[in-house]
Amino acid sequence: MSIVYIPALIPLLMKNENEKGSPLTEAEVSHIRDNAICIEVPGDVAFAMAECRGYFDINPERCWPEWSAYRRKNLQSAAGNV
């Protein structure tokens, strides 16, 4: 069984960070994850959902390091497009 967040954690964290206007702290990321809506589904269903979404979400058990890496990668990409 796999945990799937609805909405996925990446857009949820992006939305919260945009509303805040500055980077989220580790405590804020954990709080958002802990209070987000999620469902438990069989692994193949979770995989199919990710394929339909077009990306795999970050692992909730490694939320902070994966979110930090995602942010860094996207900030670098955005800076390269300027």
Side-chain angles (χ1 to χ4, degrees):
M1 297 297 280
S2 297
I3 302 275
V4 176
Y5 283 79
I6 311 289
L9 286 171
I10 291 172
L12 183 61
L13 292 169
M14 288 172 57
K15 174 184 172 286
N16 278 271
E17 187 165 281
N18 287 338
E19 288 174 356
K20 180 183 176 190
S22 62
L24 297 170
T25 65
E26 183 174 358
E28 290 168 329
V29 168
S30 294
H31 178 78
I32 292 163
R33 177 206 57 207
D34 292 347
N35 290 284
I37 297 169
C38 60
I39 57 174
E40 189 173 23
V41 298
D44 59 330
V45 172
F47 186 82
M49 291 173 75
E51 283 188 319
C52 287
R53 186 185 317 121
Y55 63 92
F56 289 88
D57 201 11
I58 55 180
N59 180 340
E61 293 178 9
R62 295 188 32 77
C63 197
W64 176 248
E66 289 190 17
W67 169 246
S68 297
Y70 178 85
R71 276 192 84 258
R72 257 190 319 278
K73 180 181 175 188
N74 286 325
L75 286 175
Q76 290 171 352
S77 295
N81 291 331
V82 175

